Amino acid sequence: MPVVIDTVAWIVLHEGRILGTRTRGRELFYIPGGKRHSGESDVQTLLRETEEELAVALRPLSARHYGTYEAPADGHGAGAVVRMACYTADHRGVPVPSGEIEEVRWLGYADRDRTAPVDRLVFDDLRAEGVLR
């Protein structure tokens, strides 16, 4: 039975690009978010992770589920799978690198291969919708 890593991610788009983060010591970019703590809901995880990683405050009532994706987990060995529940949400503040985040960047579809496997699925869906250039 595969190890499933349960995560939640925040999709934020601006002018046809999606916000991506790169953790210290890693090469790939990730859609902002992270692992759920025991007992947390999706929205609670989303609020905590975005504040820790980007120093922004999401508006919880604006959170909308976009989709849930599964793919091999980057850097976790053979058989590990990441399950990522993705949400959009309004926010206050300007996203800046915080905590373990070294870099924040607006990514286009051309940057797809610079992201984790599960993120690539999100990129494909956003591109198909015509919202990611």
Side-chain angles (χ1 to χ4, degrees), residues 94-114:
V94 176
V96 295
S98 185
E100 76 262 10
I101 302 303
E102 184 168 18
E103 183 178 1
V104 173
R105 183 179 293 183
W106 291 101
L107 305 171
Y109 192 75
D111 299 305
R112 179 186 181 274
D113 290 339
R114 298 179 66 200

Side-chain angles (χ1 to χ4, degrees), residues 35-86:
K35 296 176 190 167
R36 179 191 321 272
H37 288 175
S38 180
E40 278 185 330
S41 70
D42 284 2
V43 172
Q44 288 168 329
T45 303
L46 195 65
L47 295 172
R48 178 182 50 75
E49 286 288 342
T50 53
E51 185 175 341
E52 288 174 5
E53 293 184 353
L54 300 168
V56 297
L58 298 188
R59 298 174 193 250
L61 296 179
S62 72
R64 298 290 178 262
H65 185 252
Y66 178 78
T68 300
Y69 298 83
E70 286 190 14
D74 176 54
H76 288 275
V81 172
V82 64
R83 178 180 299 132
M84 186 170 73
C86 296

Side-chain angles (χ1 to χ4, degrees), residues 3-54:
V3 173
V4 177
I5 301 165
D6 184 25
T7 67
V8 180
W10 178 45
I11 295 173
V12 58
L13 298 163
H14 179 70
E15 296 180 353
R17 297 190 177 277
I18 185 171
L19 188 66
T21 58
R22 189 176 58 76
T23 304
R24 237 173 242 98
R26 304 295 289 261
E27 288 185 32
L28 296 179
F29 282 86
Y30 297 83
I31 297 171
K35 296 176 190 167
R36 179 191 321 272
H37 288 175
S38 180
E40 278 185 330
S41 70
D42 284 2
V43 172
Q44 288 168 329
T45 303
L46 195 65
L47 295 172
R48 178 182 50 75
E49 286 288 342
T50 53
E51 185 175 341
E52 288 174 5
E53 293 184 353
L54 300 168

Side-chain angles (χ1 to χ4, degrees), residues 13 93 95 118 120:
L13 298 163
V118 72
R120 294 172 191 166

